[in-house]
Amino acid sequence: MKERIERLKKLTYIPQNEIAWLIEQAELAVKQREIIEENKRQQEVTVHQFRQAQKDIQQLSGDRKRYKQALEKIITNLNFAITVAQNELEGDA
């Protein structure tokens, strides 16, 4: 391709078939550029979604930790209440 371009640069008259080839190459270059731009855009969207997912995971992990701690407190309080109730029942017996 480079050789063909260099040969065309040296010509003072460019034949019609060579002009058609140049137009075809220009159209291909435009399509390739559009594809590259779309791929970049999709990559940016994917990166944004990935970062958002990371934030969501961190938040959910924090929520999970808080819920676990709250549940452990509830279980401890229930165990204490059960023990108190058992002691009262044993005392009544």
Side-chain angles (χ1 to χ4, degrees):
M1 184 166 159
K2 287 182 181 181
E3 293 170 5
R4 191 169 184 179
I5 292 171
E6 289 303 318
R7 184 174 58 84
L8 287 172
K9 285 180 182 178
K10 295 176 186 173
L11 296 176
T12 55
Y13 165 77
I14 300 176
Q16 189 65 33
N17 64 338
E18 297 295 346
I19 291 174
W21 180 81
L22 286 172
I23 291 170
E24 181 182 308
Q25 294 304 307
E27 289 172 345
L28 285 174
V30 168
K31 287 179 185 178
Q32 287 174 341
R33 191 175 307 120
E34 289 172 352
I35 290 170
I36 289 169
E37 289 172 3
E38 178 61 19
N39 287 343
K40 284 181 181 179
R41 188 192 67 75
Q42 288 178 1
Q43 185 178 22
E44 289 171 359
V45 167
T46 301
V47 167
H48 175 73
Q49 289 173 337
F50 178 77
R51 288 185 178 148
Q52 185 61 46
Q54 281 182 319
K55 288 178 184 176
D56 292 346
I57 289 169
Q58 289 173 348
Q59 181 179 354
L60 290 171
S61 294
D63 290 347
R64 180 180 176 270
K65 185 178 180 180
R66 286 189 296 279
Y67 291 143
K68 184 179 177 183
Q69 290 171 345
L71 185 58
E72 287 172 351
K73 286 180 183 179
I74 291 170
I75 291 170
T76 300
N77 291 339
L78 285 173
N79 284 333
F80 178 75
I82 290 169
T83 303
V84 168
Q86 285 174 340
N87 290 339
E88 286 179 7
L89 285 174
E90 288 174 3
D92 289 343

